[in-house]
Amino acid sequence: MTHPDPWADDAVETRFIQPYQATKSYLCPGCNRDIPPGTGHMVAVPIEAPDLRRHWHRACWTNRHRRRPRH
């Protein structure tokens, strides 16, 4: 049984966080590295599971289908 990809383009809402808006540090699920305050990045919110909202480096988000997330 396959599970739908919660990060598929049609299953998620995204927005870019401007550097001046980024006031906290986050862990990117794509590379498992910090996104420090003041760094522009993407926020992805699965439509069916908004509690799974994650902050991604822009490049990690763009390339998410080319590699598996690091744990």
Coordinates of all heavy atoms in Angstrom, one line a residue:
M1 N 0.8 -1.2 0.0 CA 0.0 0.0 0.0 C 0.9 1.2 0.0 O 1.8 1.4 0.8 CB -0.9 0.0 1.3 CG -1.8 1.1 1.4 SD -2.9 0.8 2.8 CE -3.3 2.4 3.2
T2 N 0.6 2.1 -0.9 CA 1.4 3.4 -1.0 C 0.7 4.5 -0.3 O -0.5 4.5 -0.3 CB 1.7 3.8 -2.5 OG1 0.5 4.0 -3.1 CG2 2.5 2.7 -3.2
H3 N 1.5 5.3 0.3 CA 0.9 6.5 1.0 C 1.2 7.7 0.2 O 2.2 7.9 -0.4 CB 1.6 6.7 2.4 CG 1.3 5.5 3.3 ND1 0.2 5.3 3.9 CD2 2.1 4.5 3.7 CE1 0.2 4.2 4.7 NE2 1.4 3.7 4.5
P4 N 0.2 8.6 0.1 CA 0.4 9.8 -0.7 C 1.6 10.7 -0.1 O 1.8 10.7 1.1 CB -0.9 10.6 -0.5 CG -1.7 9.9 0.5 CD -1.1 8.6 0.8
D5 N 2.3 11.3 -0.9 CA 3.4 12.2 -0.5 C 2.9 13.5 0.1 O 2.2 14.2 -0.6 CB 4.3 12.5 -1.7 CG 5.5 13.3 -1.4 OD1 5.7 13.6 -0.2 OD2 6.2 13.7 -2.3
P6 N 3.1 13.7 1.4 CA 2.6 14.9 2.0 C 3.2 16.2 1.4 O 2.8 17.3 1.6 CB 2.8 14.8 3.5 CG 4.0 13.8 3.6 CD 3.8 12.9 2.4
W7 N 4.4 16.0 0.7 CA 5.1 17.1 0.2 C 4.9 17.3 -1.3 O 5.7 18.0 -2.0 CB 6.6 17.0 0.5 CG 6.8 16.9 2.0 CD1 7.3 15.8 2.7 CD2 6.5 17.8 3.0 NE1 7.3 16.0 4.0 CE2 6.8 17.2 4.3 CE3 5.9 19.1 3.0 CZ2 6.6 17.9 5.5 CZ3 5.7 19.7 4.2 CH2 6.1 19.2 5.5
A8 N 4.0 16.6 -1.9 CA 3.7 16.7 -3.3 C 3.1 18.1 -3.6 O 2.5 18.7 -2.7 CB 2.6 15.7 -3.8
D9 N 3.5 18.7 -4.8 CA 3.1 20.1 -5.1 C 1.6 20.4 -4.9 O 1.2 21.4 -4.5 CB 3.5 20.4 -6.5 CG 5.0 20.5 -6.6 OD1 5.7 20.8 -5.6 OD2 5.5 20.3 -7.7
D10 N 0.8 19.4 -5.2 CA -0.7 19.6 -5.1 C -1.2 19.4 -3.7 O -2.4 19.5 -3.5 CB -1.4 18.8 -6.2 CG -1.3 17.3 -6.0 OD1 -0.4 16.9 -5.2 OD2 -2.0 16.6 -6.6
A11 N -0.4 18.9 -2.8 CA -0.8 18.6 -1.5 C -0.3 19.5 -0.4 O -0.5 19.3 0.8 CB -0.4 17.2 -1.1
V12 N 0.4 20.6 -0.9 CA 1.0 21.5 0.1 C 0.9 22.9 -0.3 O 0.9 23.2 -1.5 CB 2.5 21.1 0.3 CG1 3.3 21.3 -1.0 CG2 3.2 21.7 1.4
E13 N 0.8 23.8 0.6 CA 0.8 25.2 0.4 C 2.2 25.7 0.8 O 2.7 25.3 1.9 CB -0.2 26.0 1.2 CG -1.6 25.6 0.8 CD -2.7 26.3 1.6 OE1 -2.4 27.0 2.6 OE2 -3.9 26.1 1.3
T14 N 2.8 26.6 0.0 CA 4.2 27.1 0.4 C 4.2 28.6 0.3 O 3.4 29.2 -0.3 CB 5.2 26.6 -0.6 OG1 4.9 27.0 -1.9 CG2 5.3 25.1 -0.6
R15 N 5.1 29.1 1.0 CA 5.4 30.6 0.9 C 6.9 30.8 1.3 O 7.5 30.0 2.0 CB 4.5 31.4 1.8 CG 4.6 31.2 3.3 CD 3.6 32.1 4.0 NE 3.6 31.8 5.4 CZ 4.1 32.6 6.4 NH1 4.6 33.8 6.0 NH2 4.1 32.2 7.6
F16 N 7.4 31.8 0.7 CA 8.8 32.2 1.0 C 8.8 33.2 2.2 O 8.1 34.1 2.3 CB 9.4 32.9 -0.2 CG 10.9 33.2 0.0 CD1 11.8 32.2 0.0 CD2 11.3 34.5 0.2 CE1 13.2 32.5 0.2 CE2 12.6 34.8 0.4 CZ 13.6 33.8 0.4
I17 N 9.7 32.8 3.1 CA 9.9 33.7 4.3 C 11.1 34.6 4.0 O 12.2 34.1 3.7 CB 10.2 32.9 5.6 CG1 9.1 31.9 5.9 CG2 10.5 33.8 6.7 CD1 7.7 32.6 6.1
Q18 N 10.9 35.9 3.9 CA 12.0 36.9 3.7 C 13.0 36.9 4.8 O 12.6 36.6 6.0 CB 11.4 38.3 3.5 CG 10.5 38.4 2.3 CD 11.2 38.3 1.0 OE1 12.4 38.6 0.9 NE2 10.5 38.0 0.0
P19 N 14.2 37.2 4.6 CA 15.2 37.2 5.6 C 14.8 38.0 6.8 O 15.0 37.6 8.0 CB 16.5 37.7 4.9 CG 16.3 37.3 3.5 CD 14.8 37.4 3.2
Y20 N 14.2 39.2 6.6 CA 13.8 40.0 7.7 C 12.7 39.4 8.5 O 12.5 39.8 9.7 CB 13.5 41.5 7.3 CG 12.2 41.6 6.5 CD1 11.0 41.7 7.1 CD2 12.2 41.5 5.1 CE1 9.8 41.8 6.4 CE2 11.0 41.6 4.3 CZ 9.8 41.7 5.0 OH 8.7 41.8 4.3
Q21 N 11.9 38.5 8.0 CA 10.8 37.8 8.7 C 11.3 36.6 9.5 O 10.6 36.1 10.4 CB 9.8 37.3 7.7 CG 9.1 38.4 6.9 CD 8.2 37.9 5.8 OE1 8.7 37.1 5.0 NE2 6.9 38.3 5.8
A22 N 12.5 36.1 9.2 CA 13.0 34.9 9.8 C 13.7 35.3 11.1 O 14.9 35.7 11.1 CB 14.0 34.2 8.8
T23 N 13.0 35.1 12.2 CA 13.5 35.5 13.5 C 13.9 34.4 14.4 O 14.4 34.6 15.5 CB 12.5 36.4 14.2 OG1 11.3 35.6 14.4 CG2 12.1 37.7 13.5
K24 N 13.6 33.1 13.9 CA 14.0 31.9 14.7 C 14.8 31.0 13.9 O 14.9 31.1 12.7 CB 12.7 31.2 15.2 CG 11.8 32.0 16.1 CD 10.5 31.4 16.4 CE 10.4 30.0 16.6 NZ 9.1 29.5 16.9
S25 N 15.4 30.1 14.6 CA 16.2 29.0 13.9 C 15.3 27.8 13.7 O 14.4 27.5 14.6 CB 17.4 28.6 14.8 OG 18.1 27.6 14.2
Y26 N 15.4 27.1 12.6 CA 14.7 25.9 12.2 C 15.6 24.9 11.7 O 16.7 25.1 11.3 CB 13.6 26.2 11.2 CG 12.6 27.2 11.6 CD1 12.7 28.6 11.3 CD2 11.5 26.8 12.4 CE1 11.7 29.5 11.7 CE2 10.5 27.7 12.8 CZ 10.6 29.1 12.5 OH 9.7 29.9 12.9
L27 N 15.1 23.6 11.8 CA 15.9 22.5 11.2 C 15.2 22.1 9.9 O 14.0 21.7 9.9 CB 15.9 21.3 12.2 CG 16.8 20.1 11.8 CD1 18.2 20.6 11.8 CD2 16.6 19.0 12.8
C28 N 16.0 22.1 8.8 CA 15.5 21.8 7.5 C 15.4 20.2 7.4 O 16.3 19.5 7.6 CB 16.4 22.3 6.4 SG 16.0 21.8 4.8
P29 N 14.2 19.7 7.0 CA 14.0 18.3 6.9 C 14.7 17.7 5.7 O 14.9 16.5 5.6 CB 12.5 18.1 6.9 CG 12.0 19.4 6.3 CD 12.9 20.4 6.8
G30 N 15.1 18.6 4.7 CA 15.7 18.1 3.5 C 17.2 17.7 3.7 O 17.7 16.8 3.1
C31 N 17.9 18.5 4.5 CA 19.3 18.3 4.7 C 19.7 18.1 6.2 O 20.8 17.8 6.5 CB 20.1 19.4 4.2 SG 19.9 21.0 5.0
N32 N 18.7 18.2 7.1 CA 18.9 18.1 8.5 C 19.9 19.1 9.1 O 20.7 18.8 10.0 CB 19.3 16.6 8.9 CG 18.9 16.3 10.3 OD1 18.0 16.8 10.8 ND2 19.7 15.4 10.9
R33 N 19.9 20.3 8.5 CA 20.8 21.3 9.0 C 20.0 22.5 9.4 O 18.9 22.7 9.0 CB 21.8 21.7 7.9 CG 22.7 20.6 7.5 CD 23.8 21.0 6.6 NE 24.7 19.9 6.4 CZ 25.6 19.8 5.4 NH1 25.7 20.8 4.6 NH2 26.3 18.8 5.3
D34 N 20.6 23.4 10.2 CA 19.9 24.6 10.7 C 19.7 25.6 9.6 O 20.5 25.7 8.7 CB 20.8 25.3 11.8 CG 20.7 24.5 13.1 OD1 19.7 23.9 13.4 OD2 21.7 24.7 13.9
I35 N 18.6 26.3 9.8 CA 18.2 27.5 9.0 C 18.3 28.6 10.0 O 17.4 28.7 10.9 CB 16.8 27.4 8.4 CG1 16.6 26.2 7.5 CG2 16.5 28.7 7.6 CD1 15.2 26.0 7.0
P36 N 19.4 29.3 10.1 CA 19.6 30.3 11.1 C 18.7 31.5 10.9 O 18.2 31.8 9.8 CB 21.1 30.8 11.0 CG 21.5 30.4 9.6 CD 20.6 29.3 9.2
P37 N 18.4 32.3 12.0 CA 17.6 33.5 11.9 C 18.3 34.4 10.8 O 19.5 34.5 10.7 CB 17.7 34.1 13.3 CG 18.1 33.0 14.2 CD 18.9 32.1 13.4
G38 N 17.4 35.1 10.1 CA 17.9 36.1 9.1 C 18.1 35.4 7.7 O 18.6 36.1 6.8
T39 N 17.8 34.1 7.6 CA 18.0 33.4 6.3 C 16.6 33.2 5.7 O 15.7 32.6 6.3 CB 18.6 32.0 6.6 OG1 19.9 32.2 7.2 CG2 18.8 31.3 5.3
G40 N 16.5 33.7 4.4 CA 15.3 33.4 3.7 C 15.1 32.0 3.4 O 16.1 31.2 3.2
H41 N 13.9 31.5 3.5 CA 13.6 30.0 3.4 C 12.1 29.8 3.0 O 11.3 30.7 3.0 CB 14.0 29.3 4.6 CG 13.2 29.7 5.8 ND1 13.6 30.7 6.6 CD2 12.2 29.1 6.4 CE1 12.7 30.8 7.6 NE2 11.8 29.8 7.5
M42 N 11.8 28.6 2.8 CA 10.4 28.2 2.4 C 9.7 27.6 3.6 O 10.3 26.9 4.4 CB 10.4 27.1 1.3 CG 11.1 27.5 0.0 SD 10.4 28.9 -0.8 CE 8.8 28.3 -1.2
V43 N 8.4 27.9 3.7 CA 7.5 27.2 4.7 C 6.6 26.4 3.9 O 5.9 26.9 3.0 CB 6.8 28.2 5.6 CG1 5.8 27.4 6.5 CG2 7.7 28.9 6.5
A44 N 6.5 25.1 4.2 CA 5.6 24.2 3.5 C 4.6 23.6 4.5 O 4.9 23.1 5.5 CB 6.3 23.0 2.8
V45 N 3.3 23.8 4.1 CA 2.2 23.3 5.0 C 1.3 22.3 4.2 O 0.6 22.7 3.3 CB 1.3 24.5 5.5 CG1 0.2 24.0 6.4 CG2 2.2 25.6 6.1
P46 N 1.4 21.0 4.6 CA 0.5 20.0 4.0 C -0.9 20.4 4.2 O -1.3 20.7 5.3 CB 0.9 18.7 4.6 CG 2.3 18.9 5.1 CD 2.3 20.4 5.5
I47 N -1.7 20.4 3.1 CA -3.1 20.8 3.2 C -3.9 19.9 4.1 O -4.7 20.4 4.9 CB -3.8 20.9 1.8 CG1 -3.1 22.0 1.0 CG2 -5.3 21.1 1.9 CD1 -3.4 22.0 -0.5
E48 N -3.7 18.6 4.1 CA -4.4 17.6 4.9 C -3.8 17.5 6.3 O -4.5 16.9 7.1 CB -4.4 16.3 4.2 CG -5.1 16.2 2.9 CD -6.6 16.5 3.0 OE1 -7.2 16.0 4.0 OE2 -7.1 17.1 2.1
A49 N -2.7 18.0 6.6 CA -2.0 17.9 7.9 C -1.2 19.2 8.2 O 0.0 19.1 8.2 CB -1.1 16.7 7.9
P50 N -1.9 20.3 8.5 CA -1.2 21.5 8.8 C -0.3 21.5 10.0 O 0.7 22.2 10.0 CB -2.3 22.5 9.0 CG -3.6 21.8 9.1 CD -3.4 20.4 8.6
D51 N -0.5 20.5 10.8 CA 0.4 20.4 12.0 C 1.8 19.8 11.6 O 2.8 19.9 12.4 CB -0.2 19.4 13.1 CG -0.6 18.1 12.5 OD1 -1.1 18.0 11.4 OD2 -0.3 17.1 13.2
L52 N 2.0 19.4 10.3 CA 3.2 18.9 9.8 C 4.0 20.0 9.1 O 5.0 19.8 8.4 CB 3.0 17.7 8.8 CG 2.5 16.5 9.4 CD1 2.3 15.4 8.4 CD2 3.4 16.0 10.5
R53 N 3.6 21.3 9.3 CA 4.3 22.4 8.7 C 5.8 22.3 9.0 O 6.3 22.0 10.1 CB 3.8 23.7 9.3 CG 4.5 25.0 8.8 CD 4.0 26.2 9.5 NE 4.4 26.2 10.9 CZ 3.7 26.7 11.9 NH1 2.6 27.3 11.7 NH2 4.2 26.7 13.1
R54 N 6.6 22.6 8.0 CA 8.1 22.5 8.1 C 8.7 23.7 7.3 O 8.2 24.2 6.4 CB 8.6 21.2 7.5 CG 8.1 19.9 8.2 CD 8.7 19.8 9.6 NE 8.3 18.7 10.3 CZ 7.3 18.6 11.2 NH1 6.6 19.7 11.4 NH2 7.0 17.5 11.7
H55 N 9.9 24.1 7.8 CA 10.7 25.1 7.2 C 11.8 24.5 6.5 O 12.5 23.6 7.1 CB 11.2 26.1 8.3 CG 10.1 26.8 9.0 ND1 9.9 28.1 8.9 CD2 9.1 26.4 9.9 CE1 8.8 28.5 9.6 NE2 8.4 27.4 10.2
W56 N 12.0 24.8 5.2 CA 13.0 24.2 4.4 C 13.9 25.3 3.8 O 13.5 26.4 3.5 CB 12.3 23.6 3.2 CG 11.4 22.4 3.4 CD1 10.2 22.4 4.1 CD2 11.6 21.1 3.0 NE1 9.6 21.2 4.1 CE2 10.5 20.3 3.4 CE3 12.6 20.4 2.3 CZ2 10.3 19.0 3.2 CZ3 12.5 19.1 2.1 CH2 11.3 18.4 2.5
H57 N 15.2 24.9 3.6 CA 16.0 25.8 2.7 C 15.4 25.8 1.3 O 14.8 24.8 0.9 CB 17.4 25.2 2.5 CG 18.2 25.2 3.8 ND1 18.5 24.1 4.5 CD2 18.8 26.2 4.4 CE1 19.3 24.4 5.5 NE2 19.5 25.7 5.5
R58 N 15.5 26.9 0.6 CA 14.8 27.0 -0.7 C 15.4 25.9 -1.6 O 14.6 25.2 -2.3 CB 15.1 28.3 -1.3 CG 14.4 28.5 -2.6 CD 14.6 29.9 -3.2 NE 13.3 30.6 -3.2 CZ 13.2 31.8 -3.5 NH1 14.2 32.6 -3.8 NH2 12.0 32.3 -3.6
A59 N 16.7 25.7 -1.7 CA 17.3 24.6 -2.5 C 16.8 23.2 -2.1 O 16.5 22.4 -3.0 CB 18.8 24.7 -2.5
C60 N 16.7 23.0 -0.8 CA 16.3 21.7 -0.4 C 14.8 21.4 -0.8 O 14.4 20.3 -1.2 CB 16.4 21.5 1.1 SG 18.1 21.5 1.7
W61 N 14.0 22.5 -0.7 CA 12.6 22.3 -1.1 C 12.5 22.1 -2.6 O 11.8 21.2 -3.1 CB 11.8 23.6 -0.8 CG 10.4 23.5 -1.3 CD1 9.8 24.1 -2.3 CD2 9.4 22.6 -0.7 NE1 8.5 23.8 -2.5 CE2 8.2 22.8 -1.5 CE3 9.3 21.7 0.3 CZ2 7.0 22.2 -1.3 CZ3 8.1 21.1 0.5 CH2 7.0 21.3 -0.2
T62 N 13.3 22.8 -3.4 CA 13.2 22.7 -4.9 C 13.7 21.3 -5.3 O 13.1 20.7 -6.2 CB 14.1 23.7 -5.5 OG1 13.7 25.0 -5.1 CG2 14.2 23.6 -7.0
N63 N 14.7 20.7 -4.6 CA 15.2 19.4 -4.9 C 14.7 18.2 -4.1 O 15.3 17.1 -4.1 CB 16.8 19.5 -4.8 CG 17.3 20.5 -5.8 OD1 17.0 20.4 -7.0 ND2 18.2 21.4 -5.3
R64 N 13.6 18.4 -3.4 CA 13.1 17.4 -2.4 C 12.8 16.1 -3.1 O 12.9 15.0 -2.5 CB 12.0 17.9 -1.6 CG 10.7 18.1 -2.4 CD 9.6 18.9 -1.7 NE 8.4 19.0 -2.5 CZ 8.3 19.9 -3.5 NH1 9.3 20.7 -3.8 NH2 7.1 20.0 -4.1
H65 N 12.4 16.1 -4.4 CA 12.0 14.8 -5.0 C 13.2 14.1 -5.6 O 13.1 13.0 -6.0 CB 11.0 15.1 -6.2 CG 9.7 15.7 -5.6 ND1 8.9 15.0 -4.7 CD2 9.1 16.9 -5.9 CE1 7.8 15.8 -4.5 NE2 8.0 16.9 -5.1
R66 N 14.4 14.7 -5.6 CA 15.6 14.1 -6.1 C 16.3 13.3 -5.1 O 17.2 12.6 -5.4 CB 16.5 15.1 -6.7 CG 15.9 15.8 -8.0 CD 16.9 16.7 -8.6 NE 16.2 17.6 -9.5 CZ 16.6 18.7 -9.9 NH1 17.8 19.2 -9.5 NH2 15.9 19.5 -10.8
R67 N 16.0 13.5 -3.8 CA 16.8 12.8 -2.8 C 15.8 12.5 -1.6 O 14.8 13.2 -1.5 CB 18.0 13.6 -2.3 CG 17.6 14.9 -1.7 CD 18.8 15.6 -1.2 NE 18.4 16.9 -0.6 CZ 19.2 17.9 -0.3 NH1 20.5 17.8 -0.6 NH2 18.7 19.0 0.2
R68 N 16.2 11.6 -0.8 CA 15.4 11.2 0.3 C 15.8 12.1 1.5 O 16.9 12.5 1.6 CB 15.7 9.8 0.7 CG 15.2 8.8 -0.3 CD 15.5 7.4 -0.1 NE 15.5 7.1 1.3 CZ 16.1 6.0 1.9 NH1 16.8 5.2 1.1 NH2 16.0 5.8 3.1
P69 N 14.8 12.5 2.4 CA 15.1 13.3 3.5 C 16.1 12.6 4.5 O 16.1 11.4 4.5 CB 13.8 13.5 4.2 CG 12.8 13.2 3.2 CD 13.4 12.2 2.3
R70 N 17.0 13.3 5.1 CA 17.9 12.7 6.0 C 17.2 12.7 7.4 O 16.5 13.6 7.8 CB 19.2 13.6 6.1 CG 20.0 13.6 4.8 CD 21.2 14.4 5.0 NE 21.9 14.3 3.7 CZ 23.1 14.7 3.6 NH1 23.8 15.2 4.6 NH2 23.7 14.7 2.4
H71 N 17.5 11.7 8.1 CA 16.9 11.5 9.5 C 17.9 11.7 10.6 O 19.0 11.4 10.5 CB 16.2 10.2 9.6 CG 15.1 10.0 8.6 ND1 13.9 10.6 8.7 CD2 15.1 9.3 7.4 CE1 13.1 10.2 7.7 NE2 13.9 9.5 6.9

